[in-house]
Amino acid sequence: MAESSTRDLLELLEHDARRPVGEIAPILKKSEYEVEQDIKQLEKDKVILSYNTLIDWEKFGDDMVTAMIEINLTPQREVGFDAIAERIYRYDEVRTVYLMSGSFDLMVILEGQSLKDVANFVAKRLSTIEGVTATRTHFMLKPYKKDGTIIDDKEKDRRLVVSP
């Protein structure tokens, strides 16, 4: 698989994982069979880790609370931040964990049923982990754009109507 062709395939799938192989193949100038084999290999090599759907849960009626938590750590001998990060990302409430540069070490994004649930998670689970020296919690109030997708696009189609 050529690297530019692989990048193009990955970008197409990242934008729309449900795009049919029959549409992808002509764009990449490959057969459907070749594209299917490329996708299988990328899955096997764990380049493609999963397929996700972006859902507007507020429209569905869920009132989940999302929080971003900055965490300062004391790294552990021989494993650095990895062992603490692994302990944190194993919690079901945790959606995302990033090692960061700057004024804090880990960024943790999690979801809870309420502000109180998130506060309890931080107080009882995160802050009690050995090596965690400080946490700062930020609650997300409203999403405007996520993973390249505008959540509630108010822009109207401004093209002129053409009639025969």
Side-chain angles (χ1 to χ4, degrees):
M1 221 179 330
E3 190 171 317
S4 67
S5 174
T6 303
R7 174 173 286 286
D8 293 342
L9 173 59
L10 291 170
E11 287 175 355
L12 288 168
L13 291 173
E14 183 178 46
H15 181 70
D16 181 3
R18 292 185 63 192
R19 185 177 223 160
V21 173
E23 283 183 25
I24 295 172
I27 294 169
L28 300 178
K29 297 178 177 70
K30 290 184 163 193
S31 71
E32 289 183 27
Y33 176 78
E34 289 174 306
V35 172
E36 288 171 354
Q37 293 307 305
D38 289 349
I39 291 170
K40 285 179 185 174
Q41 187 62 48
L42 289 164
E43 291 170 344
K44 182 180 175 193
D45 294 344
K46 301 224 181 273
V47 174
I48 296 175
L49 299 173
S50 71
Y51 297 91
N52 296 310
T53 302
L54 183 59
I55 298 169
D56 187 339
W57 287 107
E58 190 174 312
K59 280 187 180 174
F60 180 71
D62 277 5
D63 290 328
M64 296 292 287
V65 174
T66 304
M68 296 177 67
I69 302 160
E70 300 171 3
I71 301 177
N72 289 91
L73 303 171
T74 301
Q76 295 179 336
R77 185 175 301 219
E78 298 181 27
V79 292
F81 299 119
D82 294 347
I84 300 171
E86 182 178 352
R87 186 166 174 197
I88 291 170
Y89 70 61
R90 296 259 178 230
Y91 288 114
D92 290 336
E93 298 90 338
V94 173
R95 307 294 297 161
T96 305
V97 178
Y98 292 110
L99 179 63
M100 305 293 290
S101 66
S103 61
F104 57 94
D105 302 308
L106 292 180
M107 169 63 69
V108 175
I109 301 173
L110 65 93
E111 292 180 345
Q113 293 293 324
S114 67
L115 296 173
K116 187 175 181 178
D117 282 348
V118 172
N120 284 334
F121 180 84
V122 172
K124 294 178 180 173
R125 292 197 179 156
L126 286 184
S127 61
T128 60
I129 295 172
E130 186 176 340
V132 171
T133 59
T135 65
R136 283 169 299 289
T137 303
H138 307 274
F139 290 99
M140 292 187 199
L141 302 177
K142 178 180 179 182
Y144 292 101
K145 187 174 185 177
K146 184 175 180 183
D147 297 331
T149 300
I150 297 170
I151 302 299
D152 191 13
D153 197 355
K154 305 234 188 283
E155 186 171 314
K156 294 184 171 103
D157 189 354
R158 293 192 172 101
R159 296 177 291 177
L160 295 174
V161 175
V162 178
S163 56

